[in-house]
Amino acid sequence: MSHRKQLHDVFPGRAKQINQILGFMGNSWVSTPPSLLINGNSSLGKTAVVKAVLSTVLAGKSPSRYAFLDCVECHTPRLIFEHAIYQFRNPPPTPAGSLPKQPKADISTEQDSLDQGSGGKDEQEEGSISNKRRKAATATGDIRKKQKTGATDNNEQIWDKCENINEFVEWCRKICDQDDIDDSKNTSLDVGRSAGKKDTRYLVLDRAERLRDTAPSLIPVLMRLQELTGRNICVILITQIVWEKFRSKTGGYEPIVLNFPQYTKTETIAILERDMPQGEDPVMYMRFVDLVYDVFQRNCKDLNEIRHLVSLLFPLYVKPVKEGKMQSTEVLKLHRHIQAYFVEAMDKLYLREISSMEWSDRTLQVASKSDERGHDSGLTRISGAPGSERAMMTAVGVQNVFDLPYFTKFILIASFLASYNPAKLDMRYFAKVSNQGGKMTKRAKISAAKKHGHDQLGSKLRQQLLGPRPFQIERMLAIFYSILDEEVEENVNVHTQIASLVSLRLLQRVTPMDKLDSIKCKCNVSYEAIKAIAKSTKFDIDKYLYDFS
């Protein structure tokens, strides 16, 4: 019960999940279900809670009763098998590659004796001490060699590398049987434990969604690891996706699913309260945390991102108070002071256009200059860019937010051309073979504009001023295949990409949904945004636009 209460205090808002994991584990010798899946969004404490529960409940067990692996580091089945075997055979506090405790104790003992007797020893005694230190160093080197080869002092057995799942299953059996023999003397110490009961071992795979790409056939086998080994081994998967995306066509056992829900406002503020810097006013800090949550929680659900914003913006919030320009009770003035920084942080930091250190240095430098001038710097001066440059950054932000695939960008460019170019000029712009030998020149554009009732500037009925015009999907696809110099890959479904653009509201469907043929759409993207997208694909869109400036 003390461990349970301690874990509840360390992880606020996760008491229910901690109780469920502890109930799932039960006593160390009780059989557990074969697998457990823990899912939830990022920054919800999944990894930290599982690691803390295992290290707290299974503390003092040597060798370790659990192996904690990151699927980003262990990106192949062989790395997973070998790291799991190594962690099962070594105590949890000992990191991989470190020396055993006994040689370190010998060396420290020799060092202590050397320090105590350094004042009154003769040369002979110093020589003997140096000889002892050489022997200790030699023993340490031997242990390093044994550790690299996998040899042990007890039976000098060399542990081979684990290449496949069959070898991993066999090693798990040997490790469990050997550890249970070593622990058989202490079984009488556990109340309610009968003879022959063996401790449960846990194989934890963090960021397990990586297994779908690297080793998709490994997941069904891990779900049956307890059955294959015949030992009490439980597999715990920690992931951000649901179990339905792990299922394979070959089938397999269904794990017990434990979901970590999103933090509520009370739980988030309770976590942020622990990050309060020393020496700060608690009332002022909590008021600022509540303000940050109300401003950013609609656009940002990541707890680590909110903690980062609080630590970054709070020094700017309390700066006028520390300089004596405002009082801590002047809430409205402090809110107006920090409002410009909120807008800048939401525009820059969340899109990661600049680093947080660069943003902090820039804002502090501009703020100091504005204080010397004696007036507020404003949002434009905080950004350090003029209005036109800032507008271009906002336009480029559209591209950063959606991050469209390569062929989807060309579909959007073709849609923009179909919306703003007359259909009569498609042959002149997009035909592969033309009788006039090339694209329309500037002189030809002016003559065509006069023919269609425009003046030289095209200001009479310019499509740019009228807005996007609906186009048929077939016409847009013809433009798409014309401007694309390479062939479309077979696995690219163009109509699926168009549906995605419609769902993102980059394309707007004009025809009703019940009409399946002759579908018409129009482009819903500005010229600045489409120019930025065309620039990312190295496509000169100005050469294909008619009467546009």
Side-chain angles (χ1 to χ4, degrees):
M1 185 62 67
S2 60
H3 291 329
R4 188 186 300 265
K5 187 177 184 303
Q6 180 182 0
L7 292 170
H8 291 176
D9 296 337
V10 174
F11 299 99
R14 289 292 172 252
K16 180 180 178 181
Q17 286 71 31
I18 292 173
N19 294 337
Q20 289 177 342
I21 295 175
L22 292 176
F24 173 84
M25 295 175 61
N27 295 324
S28 60
W29 63 89
V30 177
S31 299
T32 60
S35 57
L36 171 67
L37 179 78
I38 299 177
N39 64 351
N41 295 330
S42 60
S43 303
L44 294 181
K46 303 184 295 297
T47 303
V49 168
V50 173
K51 189 176 292 186
V53 169
L54 292 177
S55 60
T56 302
V57 175
L58 303 178
K61 299 286 186 179
S62 181
S64 176
R65 291 299 184 268
Y66 69 93
F68 202 99
L69 308 178
D70 191 343
C71 293
V72 176
E73 299 176 358
C74 304
H75 53 86
T76 61
R78 176 177 174 178
L79 290 176
I80 293 175
F81 300 153
E82 293 181 354
H83 280 257
I85 292 172
Y86 179 83
Q87 293 188 31
F88 279 141
R89 294 178 55 240
N90 291 274
T94 304
S98 63
L99 295 178
K101 296 182 179 180
Q102 186 63 31
K104 290 184 177 180
D106 295 341
I107 295 175
S108 62
T109 304
E110 298 294 340
Q111 184 65 34
D112 294 338
S113 64
L114 180 62
D115 296 336
Q116 293 176 0
S118 60
K121 297 292 183 180
D122 55 6
E123 295 180 357
Q124 184 177 1
E125 291 176 348
E126 291 179 358
S128 62
I129 292 175
S130 61
N131 291 332
K132 291 180 180 179
R133 295 184 64 183
R134 291 193 193 99
K135 292 180 181 179
T138 304
T140 304
D142 295 338
I143 292 174
R144 288 179 185 270
K145 294 180 181 178
K146 290 180 181 180
Q147 190 173 8
K148 289 181 180 180
T149 58
T152 58
D153 293 334
N154 294 329
N155 51 9
E156 296 295 334
Q157 181 184 4
I158 298 177
W159 290 78
D160 297 331
K161 295 181 180 180
C162 189
E163 299 285 350
N164 50 53
I165 187 64
N166 295 328
E167 295 180 2
F168 179 65
V169 169
E170 188 64 27
W171 281 121
C172 287
R173 291 173 182 170
K174 292 181 180 179
I175 292 172
C176 294
D177 295 340
Q178 182 64 33
D179 294 344
D180 292 331
I181 292 173
D182 297 338
D183 293 342
S184 59
K185 300 178 182 179
N186 300 326
T187 53
S188 59
L189 300 177
D190 298 330
V191 179
R193 178 172 181 172
S194 59
K197 291 291 186 179
K198 303 176 181 180
D199 286 349
T200 306
R201 283 160 184 82
Y202 299 90
L203 176 59
V204 185
L205 299 173
D206 192 15
R207 290 188 271 196
E209 62 271 5
R210 297 298 185 98
L211 294 176
R212 300 185 305 158
D213 301 327
T214 58
S217 60
L218 181 62
I219 299 176
V221 178
L222 292 176
M223 296 295 100
R224 301 178 56 191
L225 186 61
Q226 187 177 114
E227 177 188 358
L228 294 174
T229 58
R231 306 297 184 268
N232 197 7
I233 300 178
C234 175
V235 178
I236 300 178
L237 303 180
I238 303 176
T239 178
Q240 297 184 16
I241 61 178
V242 295
W243 167 248
E244 284 72 17
K245 295 186 177 181
F246 282 95
R247 286 175 178 164
S248 61
K249 297 179 180 179
T250 58
Y253 288 165
E254 296 284 331
I256 297 176
V257 179
L258 175 59
N259 178 259
F260 274 53
Q262 201 74 31
Y263 285 112
T264 63
K265 180 178 180 179
T266 304
E267 296 169 352
T268 304
I269 293 178
I271 296 173
L272 295 175
E273 185 179 3
R274 303 187 175 193
D275 299 336
M276 184 180 66
Q278 296 182 356
E280 299 293 344
D281 185 8
V283 178
M284 188 176 182
Y285 179 79
M286 295 306 299
R287 185 169 62 235
F288 175 75
V289 166
D290 187 77
L291 178 63
V292 170
Y293 182 84
D294 292 338
V295 172
F296 290 96
Q297 61 92 17
R298 290 186 178 180
N299 299 323
C300 179
K301 303 295 184 182
D302 196 321
L303 178 61
N304 289 334
E305 194 77 23
I306 296 179
R307 295 176 68 180
H308 174 70
L309 290 172
V310 170
S311 63
L312 196 67
L313 296 174
F314 184 69
L316 300 175
Y317 182 76
V318 299
K319 183 180 178 182
V321 178
K322 293 184 177 181
E323 292 178 352
K325 298 180 181 180
M326 299 181 187
Q327 299 294 328
S328 59
T329 55
E330 297 177 343
V331 180
L332 266 177
K333 289 184 178 180
L334 290 174
H335 286 188
R336 291 172 183 173
H337 164 72
I338 201 64
Q339 183 178 4
Y341 297 100
F342 278 174
V343 175
E344 184 69 12
M346 190 178 297
D347 186 28
K348 294 290 182 186
L349 284 179
Y350 195 66
L351 295 179
R352 289 295 187 264
E353 294 181 2
I354 59 176
S355 63
S356 57
M357 184 64 66
E358 182 183 357
W359 183 87
S360 180
D361 294 340
R362 180 185 298 180
T363 51
L364 291 176
Q365 183 180 2
V366 176
S368 61
K369 290 182 180 179
S370 65
D371 293 339
E372 293 176 359
R373 295 174 183 175
H375 61 277
D376 190 9
S377 60
L379 182 60
T380 305
R381 293 183 179 177
I382 291 175
S383 63
S388 59
E389 184 178 355
R390 183 175 178 82
M392 180 59 69
M393 289 181 180
T394 305
V396 177
V398 176
Q399 177 189 357
N400 294 335
V401 169
F402 293 104
D403 193 17
L404 301 174
Y406 180 76
F407 292 107
T408 310
K409 291 180 181 180
F410 274 98
I411 294 176
L412 192 60
I413 293 173
S415 302
F416 188 87
L417 294 173
S419 289
Y420 287 94
N421 279 1
K424 296 180 180 181
L425 300 179
D426 287 348
M427 288 294 296
R428 183 178 293 273
Y429 276 109
F430 308 111
K432 295 294 183 181
V433 180
S434 177
N435 294 331
Q436 300 186 7
K439 307 297 181 183
M440 180 179 281
T441 61
K442 184 177 180 181
R443 190 171 183 178
K445 289 182 180 181
I446 296 175
S447 61
K450 291 181 179 180
K451 184 178 179 181
H452 287 82
H454 297 71
D455 57 5
Q456 291 187 0
L457 297 178
S459 59
K460 185 178 180 181
L461 295 174
R462 183 183 296 178
Q463 194 63 37
Q464 181 182 3
L465 303 177
L466 298 177
R469 181 183 301 172
F471 58 85
Q472 291 185 354
I473 295 295
E474 292 78 6
R475 178 182 170 227
M476 184 271 292
L477 290 177
I479 297 175
F480 166 71
Y481 289 111
S482 176
I483 63 177
L484 194 63
D485 294 334
E486 53 187 307
E487 296 182 359
V488 182
E489 298 177 2
E490 296 180 357
N491 57 353
V492 177
N493 193 337
V494 178
H495 293 280
T496 304
Q497 302 294 332
I498 296 174
S500 300
L501 292 175
V502 173
S503 63
L504 292 173
R505 299 187 181 275
L506 298 179
L507 293 182
Q508 182 179 353
R509 178 165 176 163
V510 179
T511 55
M513 297 300 295
D514 55 352
K515 188 176 181 180
L516 301 180
D517 55 342
S518 300
I519 300 175
K520 291 185 178 182
C521 298
K522 63 180 180 179
C523 188
N524 198 23
V525 179
S526 63
Y527 173 70
E528 290 80 9
I530 202 67
K531 192 171 183 180
I533 294 175
K535 185 178 180 181
S536 65
T537 59
K538 297 181 180 180
F539 178 79
D540 190 1
I541 193 173
D542 293 330
K543 291 183 178 180
Y544 296 87
L545 282 173
Y546 166 74
D547 193 21
F548 219 88
S549 59

